[in-house]
Amino acid sequence: MKKLFLFVCLLCLTQNTFAQDDLLNELQQTAEPQPKQIAIAAFKGLQICNMQSTKLAAKGEWYFVVSHRFGNLKEGTNNFFGLDNAYTKIGGLYGATNWLTISASRHTYNKLYEFSSKIKLANQEVDGFPITVVVYNSMEINSELKKEDFPAIQFNDRLAFTTQLLVSRKLNERISLELNGIYVHKNLYDEEIKESSNEFLVAAGGRCKLSKRLSVNMEYAARTNPVKFSPYDNPLALGLDIETGGHVFQMLFATSQPMNDVGYYTNGSGSWTDRTKGLYFGFNMYRVF
């Protein structure tokens, strides 16, 4: 009887030890920090319309970019609703890391070469940091200016730059918003209209998802130091994103025909309210490899 009693006690002690070990393991697993969940796909395109979004290429991804901005729609059949005098942009982007995207492109507007970098500083988290923060920089080289037309021109005169701080938040599965602070510097600018070599703009953009593959986008940028009697208006664009497998196709109407950052923000000649200025239709196509 004593042996049976000792055996039962030993069995209970063993089970109790195993139970304590299981409880300790559960506590240890609970104490381990869980990985942060990142809010993804605030924007499907690398641009909202013309304005840069906070989306970057993933590490190792290559993007081929083709964009068109057709001529002024107000001309009607005289230029076949803009098809006769389109601007074209061809370029590429590369995801050097998950937080750095670099790009290069060629524009028919002013025969520009444009180089840029997009750097992600912070990600929006599902239950943590509330916004995504990105810094975007671009440099442009105007190759259209000829030495025979401008004998005193130097290489430095051909350059223009932008620095932009992009801050976005995905509010829910359908709606995302973005605020941008934009600095534009031109080494060559129009003194006749009292244009400044430095301009500062505040911009806002957003995306509303209509379906799994469709979204409507809108953006607007306002100068903080506007030039009086300037022929250029603040840029305003409305677009539609169409996601088709390996690429995103964006159609848009905008007040600016130039697609380069400097030209878009400071040399847009169209208007949504003034019919005499007209609008420009165009598209962006990104193909990922």
Side-chain angles (χ1 to χ4, degrees):
M1 190 70 181
K2 290 183 179 180
K3 290 182 179 180
L4 179 60
F5 178 75
L6 290 174
F7 175 75
V8 172
C9 290
L10 182 61
L11 181 61
C12 292
L13 181 62
T14 304
Q15 289 179 342
N16 185 52
T17 302
F18 286 148
Q20 288 179 345
D21 289 342
D22 291 341
L23 179 60
L24 184 60
N25 290 333
E26 288 179 7
L27 291 173
Q28 287 176 342
Q29 290 175 1
T30 304
E32 290 178 359
Q34 300 298 315
K36 296 178 180 178
Q37 188 176 356
I38 305 300
I40 61 172
F43 296 94
K44 282 292 186 179
L46 294 167
Q47 294 172 272
I48 299 177
C49 292
N50 284 289
M51 189 167 75
Q52 295 293 321
S53 74
T54 52
K55 177 181 172 66
L56 276 72
K59 182 179 179 180
E61 281 186 344
W62 287 93
Y63 280 80
F64 177 65
V65 184
V66 178
S67 299
H68 284 286
R69 296 295 181 272
F70 300 103
N72 203 319
L73 291 173
K74 74 170 185 175
E75 300 296 331
T77 56
N78 289 332
N79 68 350
F80 203 69
F81 299 96
L83 295 179
D84 291 344
N85 51 356
Y87 286 158
T88 302
K89 166 188 172 182
I90 296 179
L93 300 98
Y94 176 65
T97 70
N98 287 327
W99 53 266
L100 172 62
T101 296
I102 56 177
S103 70
S105 59
R106 171 59 158 77
H107 300 247
T108 55
Y109 172 71
N110 287 339
K111 298 182 180 179
L112 283 169
Y113 294 91
E114 186 176 35
F115 305 92
S116 70
S117 66
K118 187 184 279 190
I119 303 169
K120 182 173 288 186
L121 302 182
N123 280 307
Q124 179 185 344
E125 299 166 3
V126 174
D127 295 311
F129 196 68
I131 56 176
T132 298
V133 182
V134 170
V135 172
Y136 175 83
N137 295 286
S138 69
M139 181 186 75
E140 303 171 6
I141 304 172
N142 185 334
S143 67
E144 189 173 54
L145 300 171
K146 304 300 181 184
K147 194 76 173 179
E148 51 268 27
D149 298 328
F150 306 94
I153 194 169
Q154 302 294 322
F155 176 76
N156 193 54
D157 298 324
R158 301 178 183 275
L159 303 181
F161 307 87
T162 70
T163 295
Q164 304 177 40
L165 180 65
L166 321 177
V167 178
S168 73
R169 177 168 174 79
K170 185 177 181 180
L171 301 181
N172 52 49
E173 289 302 315
R174 294 184 62 234
I175 298 174
S176 299
L177 298 177
E178 181 174 305
L179 291 176
N180 294 359
I182 303 162
Y183 166 66
V184 176
H185 175 78
K186 301 178 182 179
N187 286 347
L188 194 63
Y189 52 95
D190 192 346
E191 294 182 342
E192 291 185 4
I193 63 171
K194 297 182 179 180
E195 185 182 31
S196 173
S197 62
N198 300 304
E199 294 201 37
F200 299 88
L201 301 95
V202 177
R207 169 181 183 256
C208 180
K209 189 175 179 181
L210 303 178
S211 68
K212 184 177 180 180
R213 298 187 181 277
L214 291 177
S215 69
V216 61
N217 301 345
M218 189 174 183
E219 64 189 32
Y220 175 73
R223 293 176 173 84
T224 61
N225 55 339
V227 178
K228 290 184 178 181
F229 311 114
S230 172
Y232 306 120
D233 287 349
N234 292 331
L236 172 63
L238 178 66
L240 180 71
D241 278 10
I242 306 172
E243 187 184 1
T244 56
H247 67 268
V248 175
F249 185 73
Q250 298 178 307
M251 296 185 295
L252 58 97
F253 292 91
T255 59
S256 176
Q257 190 179 19
M259 291 168 282
N260 59 306
D261 290 291
V262 173
Y264 175 67
Y265 288 118
T266 63
N267 297 113
S269 57
S271 173
W272 284 85
T273 57
D274 189 344
R275 293 184 179 181
T276 63
K277 292 186 176 183
L279 286 172
Y280 302 92
F281 172 71
F283 66 83
N284 306 319
M285 186 178 72
Y286 288 89
R287 177 69 188 183
V288 62
F289 297 95

